[in-house]
Amino acid sequence: MARFDAKPLNPSKLNRAVQRNPAIFGIPFIILMVAASYGMSTFTQTRYDLHDHKVKQLSKAQELGLDKQRKKFDIREEYFKLSSQADDDWEPRRIQRPKGLPEWGVPPTGPP
């Protein structure tokens, strides 16, 4: 199998310049990253300012202080409160059985 040489047959000026000084591509890349960071800082600051403005807005109920007196809702507490109310006024009562039905349910069927 033929081996390819590391040097091209007709090297261009750009190819020779990069081989001599590889910082030709590195320095512009770093400058681009730093400039983009400063450029994007204005957009980032605008984002945080809008978020801060949303957080500082108060509703009418919050301005009047109505939320301070309200008790926090807990579903477990409501469940226990409702279940205890149902047990307070509950009384077991016996109903009349249909005619022909014995006291303890359906009579067992005998062998044929």
Side-chain angles (χ1 to χ4, degrees):
M1 186 178 274
R3 194 180 97 162
F4 294 107
D5 292 330
K7 294 182 181 181
L9 294 176
N10 296 323
S12 65
K13 289 182 180 183
L14 181 63
N15 194 2
R16 280 183 269 159
V18 170
Q19 283 180 351
R20 284 189 211 133
N21 192 3
I24 289 175
F25 287 120
I27 291 174
F29 179 74
I30 291 173
I31 290 172
L32 179 69
M33 290 296 114
V34 171
S37 173
Y38 282 111
M40 293 296 286
S41 66
T42 57
F43 294 113
T44 306
Q45 186 63 40
T46 304
R47 176 181 165 221
Y48 289 126
D49 289 342
L50 287 174
H51 178 69
D52 190 39
H53 182 67
K54 286 181 184 177
V55 168
K56 287 183 179 178
Q57 285 180 342
L58 296 176
S59 68
K60 291 291 181 186
Q62 289 173 337
E63 287 176 4
L64 297 174
L66 297 177
D67 290 337
K68 293 178 184 175
Q69 297 154 354
R70 188 173 289 179
K71 186 178 178 184
K72 188 176 178 184
F73 179 76
D74 186 18
I75 190 75
R76 289 173 289 184
E77 182 179 331
E78 291 296 320
Y79 171 76
F80 290 126
K81 184 172 32 169
L82 290 174
S83 65
S84 68
Q85 287 176 354
D87 292 341
D88 291 344
D89 58 351
W90 184 76
E91 183 179 326
R93 288 190 184 174
R94 217 163 147 115
I95 61 168
Q96 274 189 341
R97 304 257 179 212
K99 290 184 179 179
L101 192 67
E103 182 69 22
W104 292 101
V106 180
T109 58

